[in-house]
Coordinates of all heavy atoms in Angstrom, one line a residue:
M776 N -27.1 -27.8 16.3 CA -26.9 -29.2 16.0 C -25.5 -29.5 16.5 O -24.5 -28.9 16.2 CB -27.0 -29.4 14.5 CG -26.9 -30.9 14.1 SD -27.2 -31.2 12.3 CE -28.9 -30.6 12.1
G777 N -25.4 -30.7 17.1 CA -24.1 -31.1 17.7 C -23.4 -32.0 16.7 O -23.9 -32.4 15.6
R778 N -22.1 -32.3 17.0 CA -21.3 -33.1 16.2 C -21.8 -34.5 15.9 O -21.5 -35.1 14.9 CB -19.9 -33.3 16.8 CG -19.1 -32.0 16.9 CD -17.7 -32.3 17.4 NE -16.9 -32.2 16.2 CZ -15.6 -32.2 16.2 NH1 -15.0 -32.5 17.4 NH2 -14.9 -32.1 15.2
W779 N -22.6 -35.0 16.8 CA -23.2 -36.4 16.7 C -24.2 -36.5 15.7 O -24.5 -37.6 15.2 CB -23.7 -36.9 18.1 CG -22.6 -37.1 19.0 CD1 -22.3 -36.3 20.1 CD2 -21.6 -38.1 19.0 NE1 -21.2 -36.8 20.8 CE2 -20.7 -37.8 20.1 CE3 -21.3 -39.1 18.1 CZ2 -19.6 -38.6 20.3 CZ3 -20.2 -39.9 18.4 CH2 -19.3 -39.7 19.5
S780 N -24.9 -35.4 15.3 CA -26.0 -35.5 14.3 C -25.7 -34.6 13.1 O -26.6 -34.6 12.2 CB -27.3 -35.2 14.9 OG -27.2 -33.9 15.5
S781 N -24.7 -33.8 13.1 CA -24.4 -32.8 12.0 C -24.0 -33.6 10.7 O -23.4 -34.6 10.8 CB -23.3 -31.9 12.4 OG -22.8 -31.2 11.3
S782 N -24.4 -33.0 9.6 CA -24.0 -33.6 8.3 C -22.8 -32.9 7.7 O -22.3 -33.2 6.7 CB -25.2 -33.4 7.2 OG -26.2 -34.1 7.6
D783 N -22.2 -32.0 8.5 CA -21.0 -31.3 8.1 C -19.9 -32.3 7.9 O -19.7 -33.2 8.7 CB -20.6 -30.3 9.1 CG -19.3 -29.5 8.7 OD1 -18.2 -30.0 9.1 OD2 -19.5 -28.4 8.2
P784 N -19.2 -32.3 6.7 CA -18.1 -33.3 6.5 C -17.1 -33.4 7.6 O -16.6 -34.5 7.9 CB -17.5 -32.8 5.2 CG -18.6 -32.0 4.5 CD -19.3 -31.3 5.6
A785 N -16.7 -32.3 8.2 CA -15.8 -32.4 9.3 C -16.3 -33.1 10.5 O -15.6 -33.9 11.2 CB -15.4 -30.9 9.8
D786 N -17.6 -33.0 10.8 CA -18.3 -33.7 11.9 C -18.4 -35.2 11.6 O -18.2 -36.0 12.4 CB -19.6 -33.1 12.2 CG -19.4 -31.7 12.9 OD1 -18.4 -31.4 13.5 OD2 -20.4 -30.9 12.8
V787 N -18.7 -35.5 10.3 CA -18.8 -36.9 9.9 C -17.4 -37.6 10.0 O -17.3 -38.7 10.5 CB -19.3 -37.0 8.4 CG1 -19.3 -38.4 7.9 CG2 -20.8 -36.4 8.3
A788 N -16.4 -36.9 9.6 CA -15.0 -37.4 9.7 C -14.7 -37.6 11.2 O -14.1 -38.6 11.5 CB -14.0 -36.5 9.0
W789 N -15.1 -36.7 12.0 CA -14.8 -36.8 13.5 C -15.5 -38.0 14.0 O -14.9 -38.8 14.8 CB -15.3 -35.5 14.2 CG -15.0 -35.6 15.7 CD1 -13.9 -35.3 16.3 CD2 -16.0 -35.9 16.6 NE1 -14.1 -35.5 17.7 CE2 -15.4 -35.9 17.9 CE3 -17.4 -36.3 16.6 CZ2 -16.1 -36.1 19.1 CZ3 -18.1 -36.5 17.8 CH2 -17.4 -36.4 19.0
R790 N -16.8 -38.3 13.6 CA -17.5 -39.4 14.1 C -16.9 -40.7 13.7 O -16.8 -41.7 14.4 CB -19.0 -39.4 13.7 CG -19.8 -38.4 14.4 CD -21.3 -38.5 14.2 NE -21.7 -38.4 12.8 CZ -22.1 -37.4 12.2 NH1 -22.0 -36.2 12.8 NH2 -22.5 -37.4 10.9
R791 N -16.3 -40.7 12.5 CA -15.6 -41.9 12.0 C -14.4 -42.2 12.8 O -14.1 -43.3 13.2 CB -15.2 -41.8 10.5 CG -16.3 -42.1 9.5 CD -15.7 -42.3 8.2 NE -16.6 -41.9 7.2 CZ -16.3 -41.2 6.2 NH1 -15.0 -40.9 5.9 NH2 -17.2 -40.8 5.3
E792 N -13.6 -41.1 13.1 CA -12.5 -41.3 14.0 C -12.8 -41.8 15.4 O -12.2 -42.7 15.9 CB -11.7 -39.9 14.1 CG -11.1 -39.5 12.8 CD -10.5 -38.1 13.0 OE1 -10.4 -37.5 14.1 OE2 -10.2 -37.4 11.9
Q793 N -13.9 -41.3 15.9 CA -14.4 -41.8 17.2 C -14.8 -43.3 17.1 O -14.5 -44.0 18.1 CB -15.6 -40.9 17.7 CG -15.2 -39.5 18.0 CD -14.1 -39.4 19.0 OE1 -14.2 -39.9 20.1 NE2 -13.0 -38.7 18.6
M794 N -15.5 -43.6 16.1 CA -15.9 -45.0 15.9 C -14.7 -45.9 15.8 O -14.6 -47.0 16.5 CB -16.7 -45.2 14.6 CG -17.1 -46.6 14.3 SD -17.6 -46.9 12.6 CE -16.2 -46.5 11.7
S795 N -13.7 -45.5 15.1 CA -12.4 -46.3 14.9 C -11.8 -46.5 16.3 O -11.3 -47.6 16.7 CB -11.5 -45.7 13.9 OG -12.0 -45.8 12.6
A796 N -11.7 -45.4 17.1 CA -11.1 -45.4 18.4 C -11.9 -46.4 19.3 O -11.3 -47.2 20.0 CB -11.0 -44.0 19.0
N797 N -13.2 -46.2 19.3 CA -14.0 -47.1 20.1 C -13.9 -48.6 19.7 O -13.8 -49.4 20.6 CB -15.5 -46.7 20.0 CG -15.8 -45.4 20.6 OD1 -15.0 -44.9 21.5 ND2 -16.9 -44.8 20.3
N798 N -13.8 -48.8 18.4 CA -13.6 -50.2 17.9 C -12.3 -50.8 18.4 O -12.2 -52.0 18.8 CB -13.8 -50.3 16.5 CG -15.2 -50.2 16.0 OD1 -16.2 -50.2 16.8 ND2 -15.4 -50.0 14.7
D799 N -11.2 -49.9 18.4 CA -9.9 -50.4 18.8 C -9.9 -50.7 20.3 O -9.4 -51.7 20.7 CB -8.9 -49.3 18.6 CG -8.5 -49.2 17.1 OD1 -8.8 -50.1 16.3 OD2 -7.9 -48.2 16.7
I800 N -10.6 -49.9 21.1 CA -10.8 -50.1 22.6 C -11.5 -51.5 22.8 O -11.1 -52.2 23.7 CB -11.5 -49.0 23.2 CG1 -10.6 -47.7 23.2 CG2 -11.9 -49.3 24.6 CD1 -11.3 -46.5 23.6
E801 N -12.5 -51.7 22.0 CA -13.3 -52.9 22.2 C -12.7 -54.2 21.4 O -13.4 -55.2 21.5 CB -14.7 -52.7 21.7 CG -15.5 -51.6 22.5 CD -15.7 -52.1 24.0 OE1 -15.9 -53.2 24.2 OE2 -15.7 -51.2 24.8
S802 N -11.6 -54.0 20.8 CA -11.0 -55.0 20.0 C -11.8 -55.6 18.9 O -11.8 -56.8 18.6 CB -10.5 -56.2 20.9 OG -9.6 -55.7 21.9
V803 N -12.6 -54.7 18.3 CA -13.4 -55.0 17.1 C -12.5 -55.1 15.9 O -11.8 -54.1 15.7 CB -14.6 -54.0 16.9 CG1 -15.3 -54.3 15.6 CG2 -15.4 -54.0 18.1
G804 N -12.6 -56.1 15.1 CA -11.7 -56.3 14.0 C -12.0 -55.2 12.9 O -13.1 -54.7 12.8
R805 N -11.1 -55.0 12.1 CA -11.2 -54.1 10.9 C -11.3 -54.8 9.7 O -10.9 -55.9 9.5 CB -10.1 -53.1 10.9 CG -9.9 -52.2 12.0 CD -8.8 -51.2 11.9 NE -8.6 -50.4 13.0 CZ -9.0 -49.1 13.0 NH1 -9.4 -48.6 11.9 NH2 -8.9 -48.3 14.1
D806 N -12.0 -54.2 8.7 CA -12.1 -54.7 7.4 C -11.3 -53.8 6.4 O -11.8 -52.7 6.0 CB -13.6 -54.8 6.9 CG -13.8 -55.4 5.6 OD1 -12.9 -55.4 4.7 OD2 -14.9 -56.0 5.4
P807 N -10.1 -54.2 6.1 CA -9.3 -53.3 5.3 C -9.9 -52.9 3.9 O -9.7 -51.8 3.4 CB -8.0 -54.1 5.0 CG -8.0 -55.1 6.1 CD -9.4 -55.4 6.5
E808 N -10.6 -53.9 3.3 CA -11.3 -53.6 2.0 C -12.4 -52.6 2.2 O -12.6 -51.7 1.3 CB -11.8 -54.9 1.4 CG -10.7 -55.9 1.0 CD -11.2 -57.2 0.6 OE1 -12.4 -57.4 0.6 OE2 -10.4 -58.0 0.2
A809 N -13.1 -52.7 3.2 CA -14.2 -51.7 3.5 C -13.6 -50.3 3.8 O -14.1 -49.3 3.3 CB -15.1 -52.1 4.7
E810 N -12.5 -50.3 4.5 CA -11.8 -49.0 4.8 C -11.3 -48.4 3.5 O -11.3 -47.2 3.3 CB -10.7 -49.2 5.8 CG -11.2 -49.5 7.2 CD -10.1 -49.6 8.2 OE1 -8.9 -49.5 7.9 OE2 -10.5 -49.8 9.4
A811 N -10.8 -49.2 2.6 CA -10.3 -48.7 1.3 C -11.4 -48.2 0.4 O -11.3 -47.2 -0.2 CB -9.5 -49.8 0.6
L812 N -12.6 -48.9 0.5 CA -13.8 -48.4 -0.2 C -14.2 -47.0 0.3 O -14.5 -46.1 -0.5 CB -14.9 -49.4 -0.1 CG -16.2 -49.0 -0.7 CD1 -16.1 -48.7 -2.2 CD2 -17.2 -50.1 -0.4
V813 N -14.2 -46.9 1.6 CA -14.6 -45.6 2.2 C -13.6 -44.5 1.8 O -14.1 -43.4 1.5 CB -14.7 -45.7 3.8 CG1 -14.9 -44.3 4.4 CG2 -15.9 -46.6 4.2
A814 N -12.3 -44.8 1.8 CA -11.3 -43.8 1.4 C -11.6 -43.4 -0.1 O -11.5 -42.3 -0.4 CB -9.9 -44.4 1.6
K815 N -11.9 -44.4 -0.9 CA -12.1 -44.2 -2.3 C -13.4 -43.3 -2.5 O -13.3 -42.3 -3.3 CB -12.3 -45.5 -3.1 CG -12.7 -45.3 -4.5 CD -12.8 -46.7 -5.2 CE -13.3 -46.6 -6.6 NZ -14.8 -46.7 -6.7
L816 N -14.4 -43.6 -1.7 CA -15.6 -42.8 -1.8 C -15.4 -41.3 -1.3 O -15.9 -40.4 -1.9 CB -16.8 -43.4 -1.0 CG -17.2 -44.8 -1.5 CD1 -18.1 -45.5 -0.4 CD2 -18.0 -44.6 -2.8
D817 N -14.5 -41.2 -0.3 CA -14.2 -39.9 0.2 C -13.5 -39.1 -0.9 O -13.8 -37.9 -1.1 CB -13.2 -40.0 1.4 CG -14.0 -40.3 2.7 OD1 -15.2 -40.2 2.7 OD2 -13.3 -40.7 3.7
A818 N -12.5 -39.7 -1.5 CA -11.7 -39.1 -2.6 C -12.6 -38.7 -3.8 O -12.3 -37.6 -4.4 CB -10.6 -40.0 -3.0
E819 N -13.6 -39.5 -4.0 CA -14.5 -39.1 -5.2 C -15.6 -38.1 -4.8 O -16.3 -37.7 -5.7 CB -15.2 -40.4 -5.7 CG -14.2 -41.4 -6.3 CD -14.9 -42.7 -6.6 OE1 -16.0 -43.0 -6.2 OE2 -14.2 -43.6 -7.2
G820 N -15.7 -37.8 -3.5 CA -16.7 -36.9 -3.1 C -18.1 -37.4 -3.2 O -19.0 -36.7 -3.5
A821 N -18.2 -38.7 -2.9 CA -19.5 -39.4 -3.0 C -20.5 -38.8 -2.0 O -20.2 -38.4 -0.9 CB -19.3 -40.9 -2.8
S822 N -21.8 -38.8 -2.5 CA -22.9 -38.3 -1.6 C -23.1 -39.4 -0.5 O -22.7 -40.5 -0.6 CB -24.1 -38.1 -2.4 OG -24.7 -39.3 -2.9
S823 N -23.9 -39.0 0.5 CA -24.3 -40.0 1.5 C -25.0 -41.2 0.9 O -24.8 -42.3 1.3 CB -25.2 -39.3 2.6 OG -24.4 -38.4 3.3
E824 N -25.9 -40.9 0.0 CA -26.7 -41.9 -0.6 C -25.8 -42.9 -1.4 O -25.9 -44.1 -1.4 CB -27.8 -41.4 -1.6 CG -28.9 -40.6 -0.9 CD -28.5 -39.2 -0.5 OE1 -27.4 -38.6 -0.9 OE2 -29.2 -38.6 0.4
Q825 N -24.8 -42.3 -2.1 CA -23.8 -43.2 -2.9 C -23.0 -44.0 -2.0 O -22.7 -45.2 -2.2 CB -23.0 -42.3 -3.8 CG -23.7 -41.6 -4.9 CD -22.8 -40.5 -5.6 OE1 -22.1 -39.8 -4.9 NE2 -22.9 -40.5 -6.9
R826 N -22.6 -43.4 -0.8 CA -21.8 -44.2 0.2 C -22.6 -45.3 0.7 O -22.1 -46.5 0.8 CB -21.4 -43.3 1.3 CG -20.4 -42.2 0.9 CD -20.2 -41.3 2.1 NE -19.6 -40.0 1.7 CZ -18.3 -39.8 1.7 NH1 -17.5 -40.8 2.1 NH2 -17.8 -38.7 1.2
L827 N -23.8 -45.0 1.1 CA -24.7 -46.1 1.7 C -24.9 -47.3 0.7 O -24.8 -48.4 1.0 CB -26.1 -45.6 2.1 CG -26.0 -44.7 3.3 CD1 -27.4 -44.0 3.5 CD2 -25.8 -45.5 4.5
E828 N -25.2 -46.9 -0.6 CA -25.4 -47.9 -1.6 C -24.1 -48.7 -1.8 O -24.2 -50.0 -1.9 CB -25.8 -47.3 -2.9 CG -26.1 -48.3 -4.0 CD -27.1 -49.4 -3.7 OE1 -28.1 -49.0 -2.9 OE2 -27.0 -50.5 -4.1
A829 N -23.0 -48.1 -1.9 CA -21.7 -48.8 -2.1 C -21.4 -49.7 -1.0 O -21.0 -50.9 -1.1 CB -20.6 -47.8 -2.4
L830 N -21.6 -49.3 0.3 CA -21.3 -50.1 1.4 C -22.3 -51.2 1.6 O -21.9 -52.3 1.9 CB -21.2 -49.2 2.7 CG -20.0 -48.3 2.8 CD1 -20.2 -47.3 3.8 CD2 -18.7 -49.1 3.0
R831 N -23.6 -50.9 1.3 CA -24.5 -52.0 1.4 C -24.2 -53.1 0.4 O -24.3 -54.3 0.7 CB -25.9 -51.5 1.1 CG -26.5 -50.8 2.3 CD -27.9 -50.3 2.0 NE -28.4 -49.6 3.1 CZ -29.2 -48.4 3.0 NH1 -29.4 -47.9 1.8 NH2 -29.6 -47.8 4.1
S832 N -23.9 -52.7 -0.8 CA -23.5 -53.7 -1.9 C -22.3 -54.5 -1.5 O -22.2 -55.7 -1.6 CB -23.3 -52.9 -3.2 OG -22.8 -53.8 -4.2
Y833 N -21.2 -53.8 -0.9 CA -20.0 -54.4 -0.6 C -20.3 -55.5 0.5 O -19.9 -56.7 0.4 CB -19.0 -53.4 0.0 CG -17.9 -54.1 0.7 CD1 -16.8 -54.7 -0.1 CD2 -17.8 -54.1 2.1 CE1 -15.7 -55.3 0.5 CE2 -16.7 -54.7 2.7 CZ -15.7 -55.3 1.9 OH -14.7 -56.0 2.6
F834 N -21.0 -55.2 1.6 CA -21.3 -56.1 2.6 C -22.2 -57.2 2.2 O -22.1 -58.3 2.7 CB -21.7 -55.4 3.9 CG -20.6 -54.7 4.6 CD1 -20.5 -53.3 4.6 CD2 -19.6 -55.4 5.2 CE1 -19.5 -52.6 5.3 CE2 -18.5 -54.7 5.8 CZ -18.5 -53.3 5.9
A835 N -23.2 -56.9 1.3 CA -24.1 -57.9 0.9 C -23.3 -59.0 0.1 O -23.5 -60.2 0.2 CB -25.2 -57.3 0.0
K836 N -22.4 -58.5 -0.8 CA -21.6 -59.5 -1.6 C -20.7 -60.3 -0.6 O -20.5 -61.5 -0.9 CB -20.7 -58.7 -2.6 CG -21.5 -58.2 -3.8 CD -20.7 -57.4 -4.7 CE -21.5 -56.8 -5.8 NZ -20.7 -55.8 -6.6
K837 N -20.1 -59.7 0.4 CA -19.3 -60.3 1.3 C -20.0 -61.4 2.1 O -19.5 -62.5 2.4 CB -18.6 -59.3 2.2 CG -17.5 -59.9 3.1 CD -16.8 -58.8 3.8 CE -15.7 -59.4 4.7 NZ -14.8 -58.5 5.2
A838 N -21.2 -61.1 2.5 CA -22.1 -62.0 3.3 C -22.6 -63.2 2.4 O -22.9 -64.3 3.0 CB -23.2 -61.3 3.9
G839 N -22.8 -63.0 1.1 CA -23.5 -64.0 0.4 C -22.7 -64.8 -0.5 O -22.8 -65.8 -0.9

C-alpha cells in the first residue's frame, strides 16, 4: 500500500502536508478555525470517524 492510500498516521500527516503545499501553489485560501480544529483532533487522538464528524459539523454550521 502506498502513501496515498495508507491509514498509517505518518502517511496521513504526509498527505495533509502535500495538500497544504498544493493549496498554497494554487492560492487556495486557508480556514484558520478548521486548521485549529484539526490540530485539536490530532492532539486528542481522534479516530477517522470522529474527525469526519467534527469537520462535517464544522463546515455545515459555517455554511448554514
Side-chain angles (χ1 to χ4, degrees):
M776 183 178 300
R778 292 187 107 173
W779 292 108
S780 57
S781 169
S782 296
D783 181 272
D786 291 334
V787 172
W789 179 81
R790 286 194 302 271
R791 275 198 217 139
E792 290 173 16
Q793 294 304 303
M794 177 197 63
S795 291
N797 290 342
N798 287 346
D799 288 344
I800 291 167
E801 296 294 328
S802 299
V803 175
R805 293 181 182 254
D806 184 333
E808 292 174 0
E810 290 183 359
L812 175 58
V813 170
K815 177 180 174 269
L816 294 167
D817 285 344
E819 293 173 352
S822 69
S823 294
E824 292 81 14
Q825 291 169 321
R826 290 170 197 271
L827 286 171
E828 180 58 33
L830 288 167
R831 284 181 182 137
S832 176
Y833 169 77
F834 285 111
K836 287 177 186 172
K837 187 172 181 170

